[in-house]
Amino acid sequence: MTCLHLPPVPASAGAARRWAAPLLSAELLSADVRDPIILVVSELVTNAVAAEEAVGAVDDIGIELDVDPAGRYVTLSVTDASDRPLPAIPQAVPGNEDHGRGLLLLHALACRHGWVPRPCGGKCVWAFFRCTPAAERSDLGATEPSPCLATQ
């Protein structure tokens, strides 16, 4: 598991993408797996920045990326200081809106996702990605990691 802490500023989404890309190695994961995960990293960090701004917090955003050494799964979690729950996944976003697609992308690209409150305040939003074809997943069920391993 690899962790990163970033300030709650818009530039952190790009920094998170640049940090995550080399961790999702091309030798281990194909581009069709890597690229959606990197997109979700960016979206969740963007949402965390907005959540921190909404409550006036200046805490660092925490990001964890756990890549199974065998390339079977990736778990991502992003923490922020807001106690506000995630809104419902939108059914659609009008084409002229310049925001509001992050949770829609999360829902479309992750195998599972959710959020949990942190004991010290704030929340952790997590996503789980399976990286192997269904035929090769027979032993995965018993070894899936728990999301939000660090509840800071």
Side-chain angles (χ1 to χ4, degrees), residues 21-113:
L23 298 174
L24 302 168
S25 108
E27 294 78 38
L28 190 60
L29 304 173
S30 63
D32 63 326
V33 172
R34 251 188 347 267
D35 294 347
I37 296 170
I38 293 169
L39 177 59
V40 171
V41 166
S42 180
E43 293 297 331
L44 292 185
V45 170
T46 298
N47 288 354
V49 168
E52 295 249 341
E53 287 175 350
V55 298
V58 295
D59 298 344
D60 278 353
I61 294 165
I63 307 163
E64 288 185 17
L65 197 58
D66 182 21
V67 182
D68 171 43
R72 297 176 300 168
Y73 64 82
V74 173
T75 303
L76 164 68
S77 62
V78 177
T79 60
D80 65 57
S82 172
D83 291 324
R84 293 181 184 171
L86 285 184
I89 306 294
Q91 295 300 311
V93 177
N96 61 346
E97 290 290 327
D98 62 352
H99 65 284
R101 292 174 182 79
L103 294 178
L104 206 66
L105 288 167
L106 170 66
H107 187 67
L109 298 174
C111 292
R112 288 195 327 265
H113 59 86

Side-chain angles (χ1 to χ4, degrees), residues 12 48 81 132 138 140 145:
S12 289
T132 56
S138 62
L140 186 58

